Amino acid sequence: MGFLGFIKGFSSVYRAKPRIRAYPSFCQHGHCYIQCRTFSHFKDHDDSVLPVLIVGAGPVGLVLSILLTKLGIKCSVLEKGKSFSHHPQAHFINNRSMEVFHKLDGLAEEIQRSQPPVDLWRKFVYCTSLTGPVLGSVDHMQPQDFEKVVSPVCVAHFSQYKLIRLLLKKLEDLNFLICKPEGLNDEPFRGGELLMGHECVKINATGQSVNVTASHLKEGKYTERNISCNILVGTDGAASTIRKLAGIELRGEKDLQKLVSVHFLSRDLGQYLLNERPGMLFFIFNTEAIGVLVAHDLKQGEFVLQMPFYPPQQSLDDFSPETCKQLILKLVGQELSDIDVIDIKPWVMHAEVAEKFVSCDNRIILAGDAAHRFPPAGGFGMNTGIQDAHNLAWKIAAFVKGIAPSSILHTYETERRPIAIFNTALSVQNFRAAMAVPATLGLDPTIANSVHQTITDGIGSILPSGLQRAVLDGIFTIGRAQLSEFLLNEKNLLGSSRLAKLRRLFEEGKSLQLQFPAEDLGFRYLEGALIPDSDSVRAQVPPTGRRRDYIPSSDPGSRLPHMNVRMLSNSFSEACISTLDLLPGDKVEFLLFIAPLEKVLPSCRCCPEGG
């Protein structure tokens, strides 16, 4: 189908008349003008004031700095850590984030070349041990996921620390300097610096700027330096200092689950799984231990084991490297001689969204985990943050360049906060779906949490701490006994019934899901930097927790649908590009699609974000 047919198809189905504007505008004498405002310090009057300061050099902060730099906006980045973590952390990159990376000089294609082959991570495996019986498996990739019909790129499985390496290389290609504290002088920032080992300790927003005080260790002493910026963006993670200093509260569910994360290497285990049962996630349930193993790279033998954690009866000291090795062996089901425990970290799962993303007269902005904290189920955390940065970058550029007033920045919150709330609900639903598997096997996590709460805060709280620990361990041991081979088999009436229910759970798509195309690509901004059409406003379908297909839409506020097109030129090249490639990444520019129809001339104006 040609490009005109592509437009006609969408127009005939939706009859949308999208209009997007630089926000706001005014009209005089029948002509429309974009209202332009700028500040003298954006020009040559005060080079000591940085246009944009980003705090936090995770994926979100780095993506935002790349996008702003490509748009010609000077920015610098502060990172509290003296070096970047090698903990794998997030690892699933969804379609929309890969589309953002596709526009960053081929970053998406570089990720796809570097990631493990898809067949090594497309499945979730449920088993009694990694070498024992398989209870079931779910393949999360469908044929259409590889056909590139709805997107020019595919999803990816690529550890966060590897992604950060690639993003840093992109920044260096843009002449960004990666600086350690000892290599700095006291000259004002001019943009294009990433400062390691700098912690933001104080912020003060004035009418025209934000004054930031950063602390860093230099020559054995903590030294403070002051930085003035027009816009401060907090991308400093779930425990965001910027969010706290700005006095912004989180709303939602706290403490959904406490876990311990064990990062370890084992090439022997990786080789075994690669040959026998490749997968991304392994949910392991047996009488001695329970855990979820994330296979970040089977070829390299890199894994993260997630295990439930119940303080104060349990402490981090209970998870020494040697203890973790023994737990790993219990979950594997056979001896391994090359287990190397790299790191052990406790963490708490939350489902919260900041009460606001923009504050202090549009000068302090939150993005990524600083603005929302999700359960990891579905991989929405990093992906939502990357898309926050994509939405925010062009709006900052429009403001700094004088194309739009500062009110354009508030549309970032208007558009992205509802998406964060929606994705929070979807993540919680997906987490509940993950818990349905152990519940079907007779290990309901809600009962385990209730028992723990009773021991900690209820009648069990009068017991000595050692006795509380013994009671908790005893109850959990009794619970895990339901996973014994004697009970959990087809010949046992109860076991057979539970296994049958488990199979239905997998077949009906009611277990943990990996891909959500309808939400990933089909999200829509109902208000913000756009003019909605009254005849195209439809109620948003609530999340179901199950995979749904993406339906392309040209409604205002929707992502520009992908379609391969061939440019009209004098060349004889048959090369095609995506409609998404028509949107520039280095300037704030609007794109107009027009296709003649029968007595109708529909149009589709797309903002720089491609929505």
Side-chain angles (χ1 to χ4, degrees):
M1 180 171 63
F3 182 64
L4 296 183
F6 163 70
I7 294 294
K8 179 178 180 180
F10 287 120
S11 300
S12 62
V13 174
Y14 295 103
R15 295 295 179 190
K17 297 179 285 297
R19 294 167 289 153
I20 297 179
R21 67 179 181 185
Y23 176 91
S25 63
F26 62 95
C27 294
Q28 289 183 351
H29 310 298
H31 299 281
C32 287
Y33 301 88
I34 294 175
Q35 185 177 7
C36 298
R37 295 180 185 174
T38 186
F39 292 91
S40 60
H41 52 249
F42 286 149
K43 303 297 182 181
D44 301 322
H45 294 131
D46 192 353
D47 289 337
S48 65
V49 179
L50 188 68
V52 182
L53 179 65
I54 301 167
V55 176
V60 178
L62 294 179
V63 168
L64 179 60
S65 62
I66 293 170
L67 291 170
L68 288 174
T69 303
K70 288 174 69 66
L71 286 165
I73 304 302
K74 291 181 179 180
C75 63
S76 293
V77 185
L78 300 184
E79 168 54 40
K80 180 170 65 174
K82 296 179 181 179
S83 61
F84 289 98
S85 171
H86 286 177
H87 195 287
Q89 296 174 286
H91 57 96
F92 179 67
I93 308 176
N94 68 18
N95 249 139
R96 185 57 185 150
S97 293
M98 287 294 280
E99 289 179 349
V100 174
F101 292 160
H102 175 65
K103 299 288 289 183
L104 298 184
D105 303 316
L107 176 59
E109 291 70 25
E110 193 169 356
I111 290 171
Q112 289 176 328
R113 288 193 299 269
S114 304
Q115 71 172 346
V118 174
D119 285 343
L120 299 184
W121 54 265
R122 61 190 296 162
K123 291 182 179 180
F124 290 175
V125 179
Y126 299 81
C127 53
T128 58
S129 74
L130 294 177
T131 56
V134 173
L135 301 172
S137 66
V138 179
D139 188 342
H140 291 281
M141 301 300 289
Q142 298 182 4
Q144 63 265 33
D145 296 331
F146 304 100
E147 294 169 356
K148 298 185 178 180
V149 172
V150 299
S151 177
V153 290
C154 298
V155 300
H157 174 47
F158 197 64
S159 299
Q160 181 172 314
Y161 76 92
K162 296 178 182 178
L163 173 61
I164 285 177
R165 288 176 187 170
L166 296 184
L167 292 172
L168 289 173
K169 180 63 170 62
K170 293 295 180 186
L171 271 181
E172 289 173 342
D173 291 344
L174 294 170
N175 298 316
F176 240 77
L177 298 177
I178 315 298
C179 308
K180 297 291 180 67
E182 53 271 17
L184 294 175
N185 53 39
D186 294 327
E187 292 183 5
F189 293 169
R190 301 188 182 280
E193 306 103 340
L194 194 167
L195 280 71
M196 304 297 295
H198 279 64
E199 181 176 7
C200 178
V201 295
K202 186 167 60 176
I203 58 177
N204 179 33
T206 66
Q208 292 290 313
S209 64
V210 181
N211 298 318
V212 176
T213 302
S215 173
H216 63 280
L217 188 64
K218 186 175 183 180
E219 298 177 352
K221 295 181 180 179
Y222 279 99
T223 304
E224 291 186 350
R225 68 181 300 166
N226 296 317
I227 309 162
S228 292
C229 60
N230 294 115
I231 299 170
L232 173 65
V233 184
T235 60
D236 50 339
S240 171
T241 297
I242 300 302
R243 185 183 66 235
K244 294 172 184 174
L245 291 175
I248 299 174
E249 298 291 332
L250 292 167
R251 298 282 183 263
E253 295 183 69
K254 293 181 181 292
D255 299 343
L256 290 175
Q257 182 77 56
K258 293 181 174 68
L259 300 107
V260 168
S261 174
V262 182
H263 178 205
F264 71 95
L265 303 176
S266 173
R267 286 190 177 272
D268 288 348
L269 178 59
Q271 193 62 42
Y272 170 79
L273 293 174
L274 189 151
N275 293 330
E276 300 297 329
R277 54 177 70 166
M280 176 192 286
L281 298 185
F282 297 83
F283 298 81
I284 312 162
F285 309 95
N286 63 48
T287 57
E288 296 187 277
I290 293 173
V292 179
L293 186 71
V294 185
H296 282 268
D297 194 319
L298 291 178
K299 289 185 176 180
Q300 295 179 0
E302 184 170 29
F303 302 92
V304 171
L305 175 63
Q306 306 282 6
M307 295 179 289
F309 180 42
Y310 295 96
Q313 291 79 20
Q314 293 178 340
S315 70
L316 193 58
D317 293 338
D318 296 322
F319 295 88
S320 66
E322 184 57 37
T323 300
C324 289
K325 284 184 182 180
Q326 295 306 312
L327 288 168
I328 292 167
L329 292 176
K330 291 176 180 178
L331 294 168
V332 171
Q334 69 178 29
E335 287 295 319
L336 293 171
S337 60
D338 68 338
I339 297 176
D340 182 12
V341 175
I342 306 298
D343 196 13
I344 303 166
K345 290 182 177 179
W347 63 282
V348 183
M349 187 187 299
H350 304 286
E352 299 176 298
V353 177
E355 60 184 356
K356 52 187 174 181
F357 287 13
V358 180
S359 67
C360 298
D361 195 26
N362 302 321
R363 296 199 176 274
I364 298 177
I365 302 172
L366 302 179
D369 286 355
H372 39 72
R373 311 195 295 189
F374 305 150
F380 286 97
M382 181 180 72
N383 288 297
T384 304
I386 288 167
Q387 292 155 42
D388 288 344
H390 191 240
N391 180 284
L392 180 60
W394 75 268
K395 294 175 179 179
I396 290 177
F399 168 54
V400 173
K401 290 175 180 287
I403 298 172
S406 65
S407 53
I408 188 73
L409 299 175
H410 201 272
T411 68
Y412 160 71
E413 175 181 313
T414 306
E415 293 177 354
R416 293 303 300 171
R417 190 169 182 273
I419 300 297
I421 292 171
F422 184 93
N423 287 349
T424 301
L426 185 53
S427 297
V428 171
Q429 280 189 338
N430 209 23
F431 169 66
R432 306 289 187 211
M435 296 300 99
V437 172
T440 301
L441 296 173
L443 294 173
D444 192 334
T446 59
I447 295 177
N449 291 335
S450 297
V451 168
H452 176 241
Q453 186 173 0
T454 300
I455 294 174
T456 303
D457 303 321
I459 58 174
S461 61
I462 64 174
L463 300 174
S465 58
L467 188 54
Q468 288 185 30
R469 169 66 182 267
V471 170
L472 189 68
D473 287 347
I475 292 174
F476 287 170
T477 300
I478 294 171
R480 290 195 303 270
Q482 309 214 38
L483 301 169
S484 68
E485 293 182 10
F486 171 77
L487 182 61
L488 199 61
N489 66 77
E490 295 291 353
K491 294 180 180 180
N492 182 287
L493 186 61
L494 179 59
S496 176
S497 174
R498 287 175 174 174
L499 291 173
K501 288 181 180 178
L502 191 62
R503 285 192 293 270
R504 287 198 297 273
L505 201 69
F506 296 145
E507 291 167 359
E508 295 171 4
K510 294 182 179 179
S511 60
L512 178 70
Q513 298 299 298
L514 177 65
Q515 291 206 71
F516 295 87
E519 291 78 14
D520 176 7
L521 300 175
F523 66 90
R524 183 185 176 195
Y525 305 137
L526 298 179
E527 57 180 335
L530 56 92
I531 304 173
D533 284 335
S534 58
D535 61 349
S536 68
V537 176
R538 296 190 297 271
Q540 189 173 29
V541 178
T544 64
R546 302 187 194 181
R547 174 172 173 145
R548 297 181 300 171
D549 289 336
Y550 159 69
I551 300 175
S553 170
S554 60
D555 287 344
S558 300
R559 159 191 169 273
L560 172 65
H562 157 72
M563 176 70 181
N564 285 324
V565 296
R566 187 164 56 247
M567 302 297 290
L568 297 176
S569 66
N570 294 327
S571 71
F572 295 98
S573 172
E574 295 294 319
C576 291
I577 64 171
S578 169
T579 47
L580 300 178
D581 293 327
L582 299 174
L583 298 165
D586 57 356
K587 53 188 172 182
V588 179
E589 188 174 83
F590 293 79
L591 183 66
L592 175 64
F593 289 93
I594 300 177
L597 294 177
E598 301 169 0
K599 300 181 181 180
V600 181
L601 189 66
S603 65
C604 175
R605 294 184 180 91
C606 295
C607 70
E609 190 189 354

